[in-house]
Amino acid sequence: MTYIRPKFRHPDLPKNDLGYTTREYEGSLSTLCAGCGHDSISGSILQACFELSIPPHRIAKLSGIGCSSKTPNYFLGNSHGFNSVHGRMPSVATGANMANRDLIYMGVSGDGDTASIGMGQFVHVIRRNLNMVYIVMNNGCYGLTKGQDSATADAGSKSKAGSVNPFQPIDLAGLALELGASFVAQSFSGDKEQLVPLIKAAVSHPGFAFINVISPCVTFNNNPGSTKSYDYVREHIEATGKTDLVPEKSEILASYESGTGTEVMLHDGTFIKLEKLAANRDPFNRMEAMNALRNARNRNEILTGLLYIETDTEDLHHTINSTDRPLNTLEEADLCPGSSVLAEINEDLR
């Protein structure tokens, strides 16, 4: 039973607005390889939900198949969870969201789960602007099946076995921008200071929020020549800026120099603050974000941070004008309003 986390915690652990410590947001002990970047991402998700004071039972975790899709077992153990079929997580998330819009939906996927077998599902969940956070733990290989190159492996990247990938990679962040995603960010599993605020902002965003996280596989893709290794990412990372989510009516603890930041007000009254390293960076300009990604790729750099955000967006429920109530709260009178209502509908169609 080594996967069960010990119950003892320090009695003076910090508490959030709900009176919870991080213990209420933990899951089982991870069985992933020691040093796996995925565990760092799980820790960032846990920390973001703790800092936002989200009741764990209001979160629904969904995943597909792969090392990344095992991680929902390692965080938010008191939340709803569903481990779906390979590449089909978006369909399950869509159905669950349509049935109960009151939950916060967090999908976790991998580069194989999303960029190969699940590509069609990924495309359509963006197109429909489903209100969810979609996190890809991107290591450029298939960790569960001995490290074969995935569709996000960079051309020229060398595997642990010594083979060189001849194919161009699928840029998931760039694809999300082209498909019209209303929130796109990119980060590195080893940069928790950047990743936690990005996750907090994504949770607060009223629509589809995509975060592509480079997450090195220490067993199969952390070797010299790999472009997804810890050493390579740290040498080639370029941040668009520092981000911090500033909840409404709470003290702002982050320190920013005057004139260097851009504040974006989200629909729930919270702000995301972007500290720009480049004077010309505009997080509201989709085309500029796409060009920035392309230019960074041409320089063999990995662009991280908030790439694009659209503040005036409507999710799938608004588009199809669905009911404001979860379907399991609807009664017979709501579902069967009677023959007179049916007659009025038929009359309008004449």
Side-chain angles (χ1 to χ4, degrees):
M1 306 291 283
T2 56
Y3 61 90
I4 297 178
R5 189 180 297 274
K7 292 185 177 181
F8 174 78
R9 295 294 184 276
H10 194 283
D12 294 329
L13 280 177
K15 295 182 179 180
N16 61 14
D17 293 340
L18 298 174
Y20 292 159
T21 67
T22 53
R23 175 178 175 177
E24 281 74 29
Y25 296 86
E26 294 174 347
S28 301
L29 287 175
S30 173
T31 60
L32 298 176
C33 304
C36 179
H38 294 2
D39 285 332
S40 297
I41 301 173
S42 296
S44 295
I45 295 173
L46 182 157
Q47 187 66 30
C49 294
F50 167 77
E51 292 181 6
L52 287 174
S53 297
I54 301 173
H57 68 271
R58 286 204 59 231
I59 298 176
K61 310 169 295 182
L62 304 110
S63 63
I65 298 296
C67 290
S68 59
S69 293
K70 295 171 60 179
T71 61
N73 193 44
Y74 310 142
F75 62 85
L76 299 175
N78 294 316
S79 299
H80 306 280
F82 194 98
N83 184 229
S84 67
V85 184
H86 200 189
R88 272 62 177 177
M89 177 269 289
S91 290
V92 178
T94 301
N97 191 299
M98 291 296 97
N100 189 352
R101 63 191 300 169
D102 287 348
L103 296 179
I104 297 170
Y105 291 90
M106 186 170 295
V108 177
S109 185
D111 41 296
D113 194 52
T114 290
S116 290
I117 191 170
M119 176 56 76
Q121 302 258 326
F122 179 63
V123 167
H124 289 290
V125 75
I126 295 176
R127 185 173 69 91
R128 293 171 178 144
N129 197 25
L130 187 71
N131 189 8
M132 70 173 297
V133 179
Y134 193 118
I135 297 176
V136 169
M137 301 181 179
N138 190 344
N139 58 20
C141 71
Y142 289 90
L144 279 184
T145 53
K146 310 306 180 186
Q148 301 95 328
D149 290 334
S150 77
T152 65
D154 295 305
S157 179
K158 184 181 292 186
S159 70
K160 184 177 181 180
S163 61
V164 177
N165 177 40
F167 304 111
Q168 291 297 318
I170 292 176
D171 182 349
L172 290 174
L175 182 62
L177 283 167
E178 290 191 23
L179 291 171
S182 53
F183 182 108
V184 181
Q186 198 156 252
S187 193
F188 172 49
S189 63
D191 191 354
K192 194 173 183 179
E193 184 177 347
Q194 180 192 65
L195 183 55
V196 170
L198 287 175
I199 295 173
K200 291 165 65 177
V203 170
S204 302
H205 181 70
F208 185 81
F210 176 68
I211 307 178
N212 181 48
V213 188
I214 306 301
S215 178
C217 175
V218 292
T219 300
F220 295 112
N221 208 16
N222 197 37
N223 51 282
S226 168
T227 59
K228 293 290 193 293
S229 65
Y230 278 108
D231 288 343
Y232 185 92
V233 174
R234 285 173 175 146
E235 290 173 3
H236 295 81
I237 197 168
E238 179 191 348
T240 62
K242 295 179 181 178
T243 56
D244 190 24
L245 184 77
V246 184
E248 186 181 26
K249 298 180 182 179
S250 66
E251 181 183 5
I252 300 174
L253 301 178
S255 176
Y256 296 90
E257 294 183 9
S258 177
T260 63
T262 297
E263 285 191 347
V264 180
M265 184 175 182
L266 305 179
H267 284 273
D268 65 349
T270 58
F271 294 82
I272 183 170
K273 188 168 185 177
L274 173 70
E275 182 181 354
K276 294 188 280 188
L277 299 183
N280 298 326
R281 279 291 294 125
D282 181 6
F284 306 106
N285 190 317
R286 185 183 301 274
M287 188 58 66
E288 182 180 312
M290 294 168 63
N291 289 334
L293 271 177
R294 186 177 297 109
N295 292 336
R297 190 162 56 245
N298 291 337
R299 297 191 300 267
N300 292 321
E301 293 176 340
I302 300 169
L303 191 64
T304 66
L306 177 64
L307 304 179
Y308 175 77
I309 184 171
E310 181 179 334
T311 56
D312 187 17
T313 179
E314 294 184 346
D315 73 350
L316 182 56
H317 281 284
H318 288 90
T319 302
I320 65 175
N321 194 27
S322 64
T323 176
D324 293 335
R325 294 164 54 188
L327 297 188
N328 62 0
T329 67
L330 300 180
E331 300 179 353
E332 183 178 357
D334 303 309
L335 299 173
C336 301
S339 57
S340 60
V341 175
L342 179 60
E344 292 178 5
I345 295 175
N346 289 335
E347 187 63 33
D348 288 339
L349 297 176
R350 294 185 187 280

